[in-house]
Amino acid sequence: MRKRRTILFQIGVVVFVTFLLTMIATEYYLYNQNIDIYLTAKNEMIIRDMDSIKDYIGSEAVDEIIEYWCENPEKSKGEVDADSFDYLYNSGFFELYAEKDESVTRAKIAEFFENADDDFKEVIARDQRLTFGDAIGTAVYGRGYADVYCLRPINDSQAMVISDDEWSKNDLDTSTETDAENESETSVEGFYNKKYDFGQIIDFDSDDDSGLSNLLKNKNEKAYFEKNIDSENDTAYYLGYYPVYDNDKLLYILCIEYDWSDVYSTFVGKTTKNLIRNTILGLVFSSCLILICLFFLTVKPLKKVKETMDLYMLNKSSNDVEDNLSTLKSKNEIGDLAYHFRKLTKEMDRYTEENISLASDKAKIKTELDLAASIQKQSLTNVFPQSDKYEIFASMTPAKEVGGDFYDIFDIDEDHLGLVIGDVSGKGVPASLLMMSSMSALKSFAVPGLKPSEILSKVNESLVQRDVMNMFVTIWMGILDKKTGVLITSNAGHEYPAVNLNGTYELYHDKHGLVTGAMSGVRYKDHEIQLKKGDTVFVYTDGVPEATNKDNELFGTDRMIDALNNNPGTAPSEILESVKTAVDEFVGDAEQFDDLTMLCITYHGNED
């Protein structure tokens, strides 16, 4: 058996799935928004730090000194000893910084450096490199960067590294608590896991990185950042490029590596917690809201519809349904259901009224048909004339309440007995009415001295003149001379009679005339049968040979003759009963389509 789902369950599942997907999409959007906001702020901070580094060293690390670093990296390394420091001080080098104008200071440093001898240039380059390194070290130490260094392009594929190789993370070991707290921030390794030495030549081609290449071509942009996130390991890294120019000449590119894995993990953790928390809270809230909404929008209206249905089943009143559901204003499928149920009950009431009326009419018709059947039955001879010269019996079983078959047995005069069996075309009341009319005409025209053929001709003309809706009547008529046993017969389109003249029944093939009521001026032929003692004549309507079983097989005249010959010497009533039994057994449960009428006479008059 198929498991049923309630509408509440189905809607709840749909809403829950929709809510869950919405929550996930929202949290993912907020997660990315938060990351973007964080990175935007971090970008601005990094740019400010790079500006600070550039401003700190820009007035001192002039292009000539940078060129000297590139050409003499080994001479530029190392500390400035006391003699060299005194030499710088006494030479007036430090007095160059008295100018407030940075461009003037840069120009003076360049001129001072250019005019210095080789030993003095080495001292100045070393001093400036240490100042440069202090700025880098301060950035790494103070901001928690993984690494800060500079790249000085030498050619299209190489660059020299400008870094503070004298500064190391071990220098952060101090006795202050603040330094100890910052150690965790500054003890990270760079994303690329490289620590370049000052003066190191590395492969460098900006065209390999489209972002960096665009940055160098578009000098309006200050910095370019490469973001890398490894979601499997909850790690996130940043590499920032900041070009420094002297007019249009590229002096160097500041590079900052930044590890923000902790921040990224925090984002992921918070997002997961928020998603779980908000999902649970949202589920509880939405479930309560769904239940409330469904109760008022679905369950309550459906309950009202069900109660109204039960009420209608109880009293069958569409007015009660209208009163109960007219106040239901749901503008959805439930409202449509209520509207159509109201409409249905009105139609059912109308249909019920029509059925009651039809049942009443049908009852009246049945009563009238029963009355007509009773009248028809009474019109047929039920008490058969008995005589020592003959024995006679007949029966009629209609297919409907009334039928079109008939038979009649009447005395024409003292010595002659009239025998009639007929079949009106059609069924039901019209056929029964024509049957009554035909019987009346036959009796009225059956006067002494007329032969059966003459009587049938008169009946035919009477029916033709009445023009009874193209209906016709088949009639077999016989007049028996009670004294001589001579039976004069005439056949107007009726079935062949069966006669037993020598101990067995066989069909008597008399010449058929045209059915009565078909056309005027028809003449019929008489046939004479001499009956002797014990001879029997059996006549019937087509309802006997045309009786049909469930396989649409006809009973036929052969089976009828066989049934007659089972007990050929029995009384007429028993002969009719034997044939009726044989027909019923053959037909079985199949419906009777035609009237079943039979008449049988056995002659006992002569001793020949």
Side-chain angles (χ1 to χ4, degrees):
M1 182 178 179
R2 184 182 176 187
K3 191 175 181 180
R4 299 181 62 188
R5 300 288 190 226
T6 64
I7 187 173
L8 189 63
F9 176 80
Q10 293 171 338
I11 295 178
V13 170
V14 172
V15 171
F16 172 71
V17 172
T18 303
F19 168 78
L20 187 60
L21 293 177
T22 303
M23 286 296 303
I24 293 174
T26 302
E27 290 296 332
Y28 181 75
Y29 172 78
L30 293 176
Y31 159 76
N32 284 295
Q33 284 291 99
N34 289 336
I35 287 181
D36 290 341
I37 292 172
Y38 170 80
L39 293 181
T40 299
K42 194 64 181 177
N43 292 348
E44 295 176 356
M45 185 191 75
I46 292 174
I47 291 174
R48 286 197 300 269
D49 289 342
M50 290 184 176
D51 282 336
S52 299
I53 296 172
K54 183 195 73 170
D55 292 342
Y56 184 73
I57 66 177
S59 60
E60 301 173 21
V62 294
D63 190 38
E64 290 80 0
I65 300 177
I66 294 175
E67 288 291 343
Y68 185 87
W69 291 345
C70 294
E71 295 172 359
N72 303 278
E74 294 302 323
K75 291 182 179 181
S76 303
K77 291 183 179 181
E79 299 289 339
V80 179
D81 55 23
D83 293 337
S84 297
F85 183 82
D86 291 340
Y87 182 56
L88 286 175
Y89 181 80
N90 295 328
S91 65
F93 179 77
F94 294 126
E95 295 177 1
L96 298 176
Y97 293 100
E99 294 287 346
K100 294 183 179 180
D101 189 339
E102 182 182 338
S103 61
V104 175
T105 302
R106 290 171 62 87
K108 288 182 177 182
I109 291 176
E111 182 181 357
F112 194 94
F113 184 79
E114 184 179 357
N115 295 326
D117 57 24
D118 291 341
D119 292 336
F120 196 24
K121 283 184 178 180
E122 181 179 342
V123 174
I124 296 173
R126 188 173 297 173
D127 175 77
Q128 294 298 293
R129 192 194 63 77
L130 291 174
T131 302
F132 190 97
D134 288 342
I136 292 177
T138 301
V140 174
Y141 174 75
R143 297 296 186 183
Y145 298 124
D147 198 9
V148 179
Y149 55 92
C150 294
L151 296 178
R152 168 72 174 200
I154 298 175
N155 51 48
D156 293 338
S157 61
Q158 289 182 319
M160 189 191 83
V161 176
I162 304 174
S163 64
D164 180 20
D165 58 348
E166 301 299 326
W167 176 87
S168 68
K169 295 179 179 60
N170 294 328
D171 294 334
L172 295 176
D173 294 334
T174 63
S175 59
T176 62
E177 295 182 0
T178 303
D179 292 341
E181 292 174 357
N182 290 334
E183 182 177 355
S184 60
E185 296 184 4
T186 57
S187 60
V188 295
E189 292 293 333
F191 169 59
Y192 295 98
N193 199 24
K194 297 175 181 177
K195 285 297 180 183
Y196 298 114
D197 295 329
F198 175 83
Q200 183 177 345
I201 305 300
I202 64 172
D203 293 332
F204 177 77
D205 189 354
S206 62
D207 291 336
D208 292 340
D209 191 325
S210 59
L212 178 58
S213 178
N214 292 332
L215 174 68
L216 297 177
K217 290 177 182 178
N218 184 7
K219 297 180 180 180
N220 294 326
E221 296 292 334
K222 269 196 169 185
Y224 163 68
F225 298 93
E226 289 182 354
K227 177 177 67 174
N228 182 282
I229 296 177
D230 184 357
S231 58
E232 293 184 0
N233 299 316
D234 289 338
T235 55
Y237 307 94
Y238 233 24
L239 180 59
Y241 296 100
Y242 186 99
V244 178
Y245 296 92
D246 182 9
N247 294 325
D248 290 333
K249 182 180 181 180
L250 179 65
L251 296 180
Y252 52 86
I253 302 173
L254 270 170
C255 302
I256 294 186
E257 291 183 16
Y258 178 70
D259 185 337
W260 57 292
S261 300
D262 292 341
V263 177
Y264 175 73
S265 299
T266 301
F267 278 138
V268 173
K270 286 185 177 179
T271 300
T272 303
K273 291 179 181 179
N274 289 341
L275 180 60
I276 296 174
R277 181 197 62 197
N278 294 340
T279 299
I280 295 174
L281 294 177
L283 179 60
V284 173
F285 176 77
S286 60
S287 298
C288 295
L289 185 60
I290 290 170
L291 291 174
I292 294 172
C293 292
L294 285 178
F295 177 77
F296 287 102
L297 298 178
T298 303
V299 177
K300 189 175 181 180
L302 283 176
K303 185 178 180 181
K304 189 169 186 178
V305 172
K306 178 186 177 299
E307 291 173 350
T308 305
M309 288 181 177
D310 294 338
L311 182 63
Y312 181 77
M313 292 293 293
L314 183 64
N315 55 26
K316 303 297 188 297
S317 172
S318 61
N319 292 330
D320 291 343
V321 173
E322 184 68 24
D323 293 340
N324 281 8
L325 297 183
S326 59
T327 58
L328 189 61
K329 303 298 182 182
S330 299
K331 294 183 179 180
N332 50 28
E333 289 79 0
I334 298 176
D336 291 342
L337 174 65
Y339 168 77
H340 288 293
F341 181 65
R342 289 157 54 194
K343 188 176 179 180
L344 175 64
T345 55
K346 290 181 179 180
E347 289 295 319
M348 290 182 66
D349 282 358
R350 184 182 64 80
Y351 180 73
T352 301
E353 291 175 358
E354 291 179 355
N355 280 347
I356 292 174
S357 177
L358 289 174
S360 177
D361 293 342
K362 186 175 180 180
K364 291 180 182 179
I365 292 173
K366 186 177 186 309
T367 300
E368 294 173 355
L369 287 175
D370 290 343
L371 179 60
S374 177
I375 295 173
Q376 184 183 42
K377 187 176 181 180
Q378 291 176 5
S379 67
L380 298 176
T381 301
N382 293 321
V383 179
F384 303 103
Q386 300 298 326
S387 169
D388 56 352
K389 295 182 178 296
Y390 58 86
E391 184 179 357
I392 192 167
F393 194 82
S395 67
M396 195 274 282
T397 304
K400 296 186 176 181
E401 288 82 354
V402 291
D405 287 4
F406 63 92
Y407 65 86
D408 203 357
I409 304 166
F410 53 89
D411 287 322
I412 298 175
D413 56 30
E414 184 178 350
D415 295 327
H416 294 88
L417 179 68
L419 305 172
V420 175
I421 189 169
D423 185 1
V424 179
S425 62
K427 303 288 184 297
V429 175
S432 68
L433 294 175
L434 184 56
M435 177 270 284
M436 298 290 289
S437 177
S438 300
M439 287 182 63
S440 176
L442 279 165
K443 270 196 166 184
S444 64
F445 293 130
V447 296
L450 289 182
K451 296 180 179 179
S453 60
E454 296 172 331
I455 297 173
L456 291 181
S457 294
K458 290 180 178 294
V459 171
N460 178 64
E461 295 300 324
S462 175
L463 294 178
V464 169
Q465 291 176 4
R466 295 178 185 180
D467 189 17
V468 287
M469 299 181 296
N470 295 322
M471 297 179 70
F472 58 87
V473 185
T474 67
I475 302 174
W476 178 91
M477 184 176 184
I479 297 178
L480 176 66
D481 188 327
K482 300 177 184 178
K483 293 181 178 180
T484 63
V486 175
L487 177 65
I488 307 298
T489 67
S490 185
N491 194 327
H494 200 74
E495 301 291 326
Y496 293 121
V499 296
N500 180 2
L501 302 179
N502 53 10
T504 59
Y505 283 92
E506 60 184 15
L507 291 179
Y508 180 78
H509 295 277
D510 53 358
K511 186 177 181 180
H512 287 186
L514 187 65
V515 296
T516 60
M519 60 180 295
S520 179
V522 178
R523 295 291 180 264
Y524 299 95
K525 186 176 181 179
D526 291 317
H527 301 274
E528 181 177 314
I529 303 174
Q530 178 62 60
L531 299 178
K532 295 180 291 186
K533 182 178 179 180
D535 290 344
T536 303
V537 177
F538 174 81
V539 289
Y540 53 93
T541 59
D542 59 1
V544 175
E546 294 181 3
T548 306
N549 63 14
K550 62 181 180 179
D551 298 324
N552 289 326
E553 185 180 3
L554 298 179
F555 182 70
T557 54
D558 291 341
R559 289 186 178 86
M560 181 187 73
I561 294 298
D562 292 341
L564 290 171
N565 286 323
N566 282 336
N567 294 295
T570 56
S573 60
E574 295 177 358
I575 291 174
L576 265 61
E577 181 65 25
S578 176
V579 174
K580 180 67 166 56
T581 300
V583 171
D584 290 343
E585 290 177 353
F586 174 79
V587 171
D589 296 332
E591 184 180 357
Q592 180 183 343
F593 288 101
D594 203 356
D595 302 335
L596 196 68
T597 305
M598 297 176 287
L599 185 149
C600 185
I601 181 171
T602 299
Y603 185 68
H604 299 303
N606 292 330
E607 296 293 337
D608 297 344

